[in-house]
Amino acid sequence: MAGAAALVEADNANEIMARIETKSQKIESLLKHYKHVEALKTALDGSPLTTYDERCKSANWIVVHRAIMAIKDIDGMLNSLAAEYYDILMKYLYRGLSTGNEPTCEQCLIIHEKLIERAGLGCILRCLSDTNSV
Amino acid sequence: MANSLRLYLACIKNTLEAAMCLQNFPCQEVERHNKPEVELKTSPELLLNPVLICRNEAEKCLIETSINSLRISLKVKQADELENILTKKFLRFLSMRAEAFQVLRRKPVQGYDISFLITNYHCEEMQKQKLIDFIIQFMEARYRERNKRLEGVSEHQRTTRCDRVSETVHVKQHLRYYNVTPHCINHSLFG
């Protein structure tokens, strides 16, 4: 039983990795056309929250990180981002803050402050209490 | 530089405001015991996800929350050996007087310079907003003192003072920046 579940998980992981690969190519083309907000939305869509596979999570993080670092106009980005993306974006911001890399942390801190003004403290608490991590 | 510090402190403040939702919760394992769950970590359902906020590789803040307690661990930047010694001495001096601070942890968490432990009892006796302001002001005061100290000590003084065996004399002189009296220094350094 456990063996069968592990096999299903592995298949799912391969599917997720393939999806992330196509997503990454789509985001590169969006960034070339300066469509930063669409790139971020694409990166956040379909994030592997429920899987246990670290490779999938790391691969998706790399893609989201690329989209986050490309953003210059943060107010404009948050204006056009739908509220349903706030929680998942907050999770990725905390992941970015835990890396310790200075440019990433700086960008994440700026976005964090602006996001809190819009989403409120509930966003942070949902991020802290959710068992589905990124 | 000042802006990145402001953002870092604002992030920590907002996270603390959200994370400091503590209530009384007696121990599930042992009757009549009431323990801070963040220290023991016996039951995963009582713990929230820990959050690490880094400003850069050297400065970070770890916030771990549970149902009845919250632990904040700070690591501050140390430019060289002299600063490392001074920071250790100063923070050890504070940690030994942890009872006077109430929210200070006697030993910092592994890998960090100083730790605070806030329980539901502290939140009942003291105001939550004031506790958060205390921690933020503590961090701001550390950064201000560090900048003042870096301006006061010249490069030559730093190298000679590092090399000398009897560093305690110079440590005492620098601890005076923190308005620590000689009596307290002797007591903390020599017991």
Side-chain angles (χ1 to χ4, degrees), chain B residues 125-136:
Chain B
E125 286 163 21
M126 300 179 257
Q127 289 178 32
K128 172 181 155 178
Q129 216 34 257
K130 301 274 184 202
L131 279 169
I132 296 168
D133 289 344
F134 167 71
I135 292 172
I136 301 295

Side-chain angles (χ1 to χ4, degrees), chain B residues 94-145:
Chain B
L94 288 182
S95 300
M96 278 169 59
R97 284 143 188 81
E99 270 179 42
F101 284 99
Q102 294 186 56
V103 293
L104 199 60
R105 196 171 183 262
R106 280 193 175 272
K107 273 193 78 127
V109 167
Q110 187 77 15
Y112 293 87
D113 291 330
I114 191 162
S115 296
F116 296 90
L117 176 69
I118 300 175
T119 61
N120 57 294
Y121 297 114
H122 296 140
C123 290
E124 283 163 22
E125 286 163 21
M126 300 179 257
Q127 289 178 32
K128 172 181 155 178
Q129 216 34 257
K130 301 274 184 202
L131 279 169
I132 296 168
D133 289 344
F134 167 71
I135 292 172
I136 301 295
Q137 280 164 16
F138 180 88
M139 292 175 76
E140 278 173 347
R142 280 288 300 135
Y143 282 108
R144 256 202 311 272
E145 282 160 13

Side-chain angles (χ1 to χ4, degrees), chain A residues 94 97 100 105 113 125 128 130, chain B residues 6-7 15 18 49 51 54 57:
Chain A
Y94 276 119
L97 286 170
C105 289
E113 190 195 22
L125 205 48
L128 290 176
D130 199 352
Chain B
R6 183 192 67 80
L7 288 170
T15 313
N49 300 329
V51 148
C54 299
E57 280 107 15

